[in-house]
Amino acid sequence: MEIDPFIFRLSIFILSIFIGYYVVWSVTPSLHTPLMSVTNAISSVIIVGAIIAALAGTSESIFNTSSIFGFIAIILAAINIFGGFLVTQRMLQMYKKKKDKKK
Amino acid sequence: MISANLAAIFYLVSGILFILALRGLSSPDTSRQGNYFGIAGMIIAIVVTFLSIGNFSTSLVIVVIFLVIGGAIGSFIAFKIPMTAMPELVAGFHSLVGLAAVFVAIAAFLNPAAFNLGNLGDIKLASLIEMSIGAAVGAITFSGSIIAFLKLRGIMSGAPITFSGQHILNLILGIGIFVLIFYLCKTQSTNIFWTVIIISFLVGVLLIIPIGGADMPVVISMLNSYSGWAAAGIGFTLENTALIITGALVGSSGAILSYIMCKAMNRSFVSVILGGFGADNSTDDKKEKKDQKPVKSGNAEDAAFLMKNASSIIIVPGYGMAVAQAQHALREMVDKLKKNDIKVTYAIHPVAGRMPGHMNVLLAEANVPYDEVFELEDINNDFANSDVAFVIGANDVTNPVAKTDPKSPIFGMPVLDVEKCKSVLFVKRSLSPGYAGIDNELFYKDNTLMLFADAKKMTEDIVKNLD
């Protein structure tokens, strides 16, 4: 009997939870705020689904009910991606400056 | 146009890059590199999606335009936002992830053929369950984060909003969502799908309103976790590895942060979620009837004198420092003290502020070197050997009652042993109790000097007196 592909995805999911568990415990507490902003940015990879939905419109009607939700989701996710990574960068830059100053 | 298998491998690569992004945060040195890994992973995921669809028509141009619009708004916010507003920014971002998850789920439900999930009214059972869970969790994340945002921003009072039967109502609504999803699978009805989303929005609001301001670190971490699970749910629907890996990472990250925050308050996750803690803290400024006990209060000059004659000082910042934006003045003060060869370190309690790591970011912004900033367990033994503890805007996290009085609501919470210092300077606006609504014994100790003023103004005055 063949294994349902769902089981493979479930395996990936569960293994990733374990990776997440160990990786996040190793994050230093002083970087917990950047951790939140960067997890925010990466969870916006949901934009992948938004793009698929948006491009599903036919050439006659680019905007149908389904693709409009896709387009709005693209904006929302893009705000998060750019905002999340940039604000993380800005914060981490501050942690860096101190280091330079000390040298 | 690239094959589905090749695309899946690229999604895996981007998932691994996201893991490396989090791994980088284990130290400030590697953290920036980690962030670049994250950005690279995101670019790969987006480009591969375009390539695998291979539809380079006008709609692609419009997609790029929308991407740029969103990117411009996001960049603008990221550059303009002051560091003190970081908690509400993160809450706001969580709400966007949640809403995006809801919209993607709706799009998939209305046009399942585009995602290879069957046809409208005849969606594969597993996909239907996955997308409705993704949509429900996304909706809870969205409305919950909006409430958290409003509370953190001060638009809505931070005081808990409770009413009788609240928890039973939440329970009924929660069960209702599952029952509806069950019927949705049987009937494939669009109306039930909409109802699930609407009820989930409602649950998000009801979940967060009873939770008070100082429990926000737990709330933000919890919503962080939810946004991850929502993304994972959508990842299963889209059969997308990058999304599944990311969802699991973010979900466990938020869960661990919630756990750390709860432990730092010695409260169970359930008790935080049920809320209602510190219900009357909004009125505490009015009832200052505790004047019967003698309190020593001083001015900036006294404080400056004490500190000048000290050889080691520990600074304990709290939410009050963030509110007063006193971090820069504080840095200035510390610089002057260091010129006099006084050793100055910072002690940070895990729940100081309104989100995990809040104080660290503010001190970093004020150019405080991160190797002078210590976590609770690393510095707590040093108080006994230090001359002055300078408590600025913190309260409950220094209250010795947590160690001595088993009846106190904060008993058992790990606190900073500030009282072991030779003298304690306590910057506070009034004698009002903190968030937990209990009096701080520290105020009445012989070696405590209260400095009644706004944190920033007091610090600036001390700086003047240090010359």
Side-chain angles (χ1 to χ4, degrees):
Chain A
M1 213 180 111
E2 239 183 281
I3 301 172
D4 192 314
F6 171 78
I7 302 299
F8 286 115
R9 285 191 283 277
L10 191 67
S11 315
I12 295 174
F13 178 64
I14 291 172
L15 289 175
S16 302
I17 292 178
F18 276 88
I19 295 175
Y21 179 85
Y22 289 107
V23 169
V24 172
W25 270 116
S26 75
V27 171
T28 166
S30 65
L31 291 177
H32 275 163
T33 300
L35 171 68
M36 304 208 85
S37 60
V38 86
T39 48
N40 225 313
I42 64 174
S43 55
S44 306
V45 73
I46 202 158
I47 197 168
V48 165
I51 293 172
I52 298 175
L55 288 181
T58 54
S59 46
E60 298 93 59
S61 64
I62 295 164
F63 296 101
N64 58 39
T65 351
S66 159
S67 71
I68 284 174
F69 279 110
F71 279 114
I72 303 172
I74 288 179
I75 293 197
L76 297 175
I79 294 177
N80 242 317
I81 293 172
F82 282 75
F85 279 124
L86 288 174
V87 90
T88 309
Q89 192 66 21
R90 218 182 115 197
M91 276 191 269
L92 296 176
Q93 217 68 37
M94 301 185 316
Y95 284 84
K96 174 194 179 189
K97 251 191 255 159
K98 299 167 303 190
K99 191 87 181 163
D100 290 347
K101 231 180 168 181
K102 277 195 69 104
K103 273 175 196 167
Chain B
M1 184 91 188
I2 56 177
S3 78
N5 286 336
L6 192 60
I9 288 173
F10 276 116
Y11 284 134
L12 179 64
V13 170
S14 104
I16 291 169
L17 286 168
F18 290 151
I19 295 173
L20 293 176
L22 299 192
R23 181 78 190 105
L25 289 171
S26 57
S27 109
D29 295 331
T30 54
S31 58
R32 272 158 291 120
Q33 191 193 24
N35 202 35
Y36 293 130
F37 281 137
I39 295 171
M42 188 60 72
I43 293 171
I44 291 177
I46 293 174
V47 171
V48 167
T49 309
F50 281 135
L51 291 178
S52 63
I53 297 173
N55 168 4
F56 296 104
S57 59
T58 33
S59 48
L60 183 81
V61 180
I62 302 175
V63 166
V64 172
I65 292 173
F66 276 68
L67 237 168
V68 170
I69 295 174
I73 300 173
S75 314
F76 180 77
I77 297 172
F79 284 115
K80 287 282 165 207
I81 193 92
M83 283 299 146
T84 38
M86 210 42 79
E88 52 260 44
L89 178 74
V90 169
F93 278 168
H94 285 157
S95 72
L96 297 182
V97 179
L99 195 59
V102 173
F103 283 175
V104 172
I106 293 174
F109 183 82
L110 295 177
N111 188 1
F115 296 87
N116 290 325
L117 306 173
N119 295 301
L120 183 56
D122 183 27
I123 301 172
K124 282 189 283 182
L125 182 65
S127 309
L128 198 57
I129 298 174
E130 289 153 5
M131 75 173 74
S132 35
I133 291 176
V137 179
I140 293 173
T141 312
F142 170 71
S143 56
S145 301
I146 292 287
I147 301 295
F149 175 84
L150 295 176
K151 285 194 171 195
L152 288 164
R153 189 89 212 156
I155 298 170
M156 207 171 133
S157 154
I161 300 168
T162 48
F163 53 87
S164 61
Q166 193 165 22
H167 304 316
I168 295 170
L169 178 65
N170 286 350
L171 190 68
I172 293 172
L173 290 176
I175 295 170
I177 291 176
F178 282 102
V179 172
L180 283 171
I181 291 179
F182 178 76
Y183 279 104
L184 175 65
C185 295
K186 278 186 113 172
T187 60
Q188 303 255 355
S189 147
T190 320
N191 287 337
I192 296 185
F193 185 71
W194 292 117
T195 319
V196 167
I197 292 175
I198 290 166
I199 294 183
S200 303
F201 279 135
L202 194 63
V203 170
V205 174
L206 289 170
L207 264 182
I208 307 302
I209 52 168
I211 306 178
D215 281 339
M216 278 302 153
V218 181
V219 171
I220 293 197
S221 317
M222 182 181 88
L223 292 168
N224 185 244
S225 182
Y226 286 179
S227 70
W229 304 132
I234 303 296
F236 275 103
T237 318
L238 305 185
E239 308 180 348
N240 183 305
T241 332
L243 207 40
I244 294 176
I245 295 177
T246 314
L249 288 179
V250 178
S252 53
S253 159
I256 291 171
L257 288 176
S258 322
Y259 171 80
I260 296 175
M261 293 301 120
C262 287
K263 210 165 152 59
M265 296 194 289
N266 191 38
R267 299 185 47 208
S268 73
F269 186 68
V270 176
S271 88
V272 174
I273 295 309
L274 293 182
F277 195 66
D280 51 1
N281 71 335
S282 54
T283 51
D284 55 13
D285 278 321
K286 289 168 209 149
K287 35 182 182 183
E288 280 171 38
K289 52 195 178 204
K290 283 154 189 132
D291 281 359
Q292 55 268 58
K293 281 191 258 178
V295 169
K296 276 202 290 184
S297 77
N299 56 28
E301 213 176 311
D302 305 330
F305 178 78
L306 253 173
M307 286 202 265
K308 253 193 267 184
N309 289 305
S311 61
S312 58
I313 299 175
I314 299 179
I315 292 170
V316 181
Y319 183 56
M321 180 188 84
V323 174
Q325 307 228 17
Q327 67 271 29
H328 298 282
L330 187 67
R331 223 299 294 266
E332 215 179 310
M333 183 186 96
V334 171
D335 281 350
K336 289 219 161 141
L337 291 169
K338 278 193 193 154
K339 267 186 208 146
N340 296 335
D341 281 334
I342 300 168
K343 183 176 172 255
V344 187
T345 45
Y346 299 80
I348 300 198
H349 192 277
V351 290
R354 287 289 185 262
M355 72 182 292
H358 192 185
M359 292 298 121
N360 302 80
V361 171
L362 293 183
L363 292 177
E365 188 200 9
N367 280 325
V368 173
Y370 58 79
D371 41 12
E372 288 175 13
V373 183
F374 295 93
E375 302 299 316
L376 171 88
E377 59 267 34
D378 297 327
I379 201 169
N380 227 1
N381 293 328
D382 294 355
F383 281 105
N385 311 321
S386 297
D387 298 319
V388 177
F390 186 74
V391 182
I392 176 164
N395 186 357
D396 289 337
V397 297
T398 63
N399 197 338
V401 154
K403 289 176 287 190
T404 54
D405 181 6
K407 274 176 286 183
S408 162
I410 61 168
F411 180 72
M413 164 171 147
V415 288
L416 292 158
D417 297 333
V418 172
E419 78 281 1
K420 289 186 182 153
C421 265
K422 288 201 190 81
S423 40
V424 179
L425 294 170
F426 217 111
V427 184
K428 212 169 172 309
R429 270 176 301 191
S430 70
L431 269 186
S432 61
Y435 171 68
I438 42 172
D439 217 12
N440 194 338
E441 284 185 2
L442 211 54
F443 300 166
Y444 315 107
K445 293 241 171 176
D446 287 340
N447 59 348
T448 304
L449 189 67
M450 299 297 295
L451 306 167
F452 293 116
D454 171 76
K456 187 177 180 189
K457 197 171 170 304
M458 175 54 75
T459 316
E460 283 167 350
D461 286 350
I462 295 176
V463 171
K464 275 180 217 146
N465 278 292
L466 277 176
D467 292 321

